[in-house]
Amino acid sequence: MKILLVEDEAEIGDLIKTGLEKEEFSVDYCKDGDSGMEHAMSNSYDAIVLDVMLPGKSGLEILKMVRAGQNNVPIIIITARGETEDRIEGLDLGADDYLPKPFFVEELIARLRAIWRRSSETGMSVLNVGTLSANLMSREVVRSGRQIEMTPKEFSLLAFLMRAPGRVLTRTQILEQVWGYHFDPGTNLVDVYIRRLRSKIDFEGEIPLIETLRGVGYRMQDPDNSEEG
Ligand code: CA
């Protein structure tokens, strides 16, 4: 497993690099944003561990460029205390997870393994629900032949729902799986994103696919296994 680590604080960076190498990962270690960007764009990695505040390009700029190139490499951003907005922006830009400093390298490795497990479970597959399909690698969404544009976060939410057609997913589960929040941020984040998804996928002439269970959560319809059908 080859990992790109971008972190300007030598003490933290050395610690992470040593910890990862002890677990047999091979690590490319960049100490500024520009070389981080160069490595991220020109090499292939199994994961990228990205600090946000960097000299040169910021971690978020690197993240944006990588995703703009349709590169779905798992990315974990690491943020200093208090950089909540960076965390949210990072997840919105398509980071898979984040870790606030300070953290133990063991925690980072556990998060990496969880991301790899999730992506290997889904493999190269295309998710299909009724007339809707979502390609997990290319992140292409199509309904009845019509291509639908999605932001990375909208795509993650849609994919999470589409993996479990017919099953009720609570807001808590969605926040954990899609946003990596292990707490309720006390906002209607999930509802806002569901509304956006609906406006994109349930266009005229199509059966509405996302059902609201008031006070509980949401369910992706399962038209292929409908009891009435
Ligand atoms: Ca930094």
Side-chain angles (χ1 to χ4, degrees), residues 41-214:
M41 299 307 284
S42 56
N43 298 296
S44 158
Y45 293 99
D46 295 298
I48 300 177
V49 178
L50 205 49
D51 183 27
V52 173
M53 297 287 282
L54 294 164
K57 297 264 187 305
S58 80
L60 295 180
E61 285 176 280
I62 297 173
L63 171 62
K64 214 175 189 169
M65 282 303 289
V66 169
R67 291 299 186 238
Q70 301 295 320
N71 184 343
N72 290 325
V73 58
I75 297 179
I76 293 187
I77 53 171
I78 49 183
T79 55
R81 204 163 50 163
E83 290 173 347
T84 318
E85 273 174 33
D86 288 339
R87 260 170 241 167
I88 294 170
E89 198 186 343
L91 293 169
D92 241 355
L93 289 173
D96 296 271
D97 207 346
Y98 70 84
L99 268 178
K101 292 181 212 177
F103 56 84
F104 290 108
V105 182
E106 289 78 3
E107 174 67 16
L108 173 65
I109 293 170
R111 301 281 186 101
L112 285 171
R113 294 222 157 99
I115 295 172
W116 286 324
R117 204 177 311 125
R118 286 205 295 270
S119 60
S120 73
E121 273 165 11
T122 53
M124 302 278 290
S125 60
V126 174
L127 300 169
N128 288 295
V129 172
T131 53
L132 179 71
S133 75
N135 185 310
L136 293 166
M137 301 311 285
S138 66
R139 298 193 170 220
E140 258 179 350
V141 179
V142 175
R143 187 156 194 200
S144 295
R146 191 195 289 194
Q147 188 118 2
I148 302 167
E149 293 294 319
M150 296 261 158
T151 67
K153 194 47 70 182
E154 287 165 0
F155 185 88
S156 306
L157 173 60
L158 180 68
F160 182 54
L161 291 166
M162 288 180 76
R163 281 191 186 113
R167 242 176 57 202
V168 179
L169 299 168
T170 64
R171 282 184 184 72
T172 312
Q173 285 173 319
I174 294 172
L175 282 168
E176 270 186 28
Q177 291 297 316
V178 179
W179 276 270
Y181 291 169
H182 299 289
F183 57 92
D184 187 342
T187 64
N188 57 350
L189 191 63
V190 175
D191 312 79
V192 168
Y193 270 83
I194 292 279
R195 215 172 303 142
R196 281 198 217 164
L197 273 190
R198 278 188 177 132
S199 73
K200 292 187 173 186
I201 65 169
D202 293 338
F203 47 83
E204 220 187 310
E206 296 291 335
I207 305 163
L209 284 178
I210 305 171
E211 184 188 353
T212 304
L213 292 110
R214 209 165 287 279

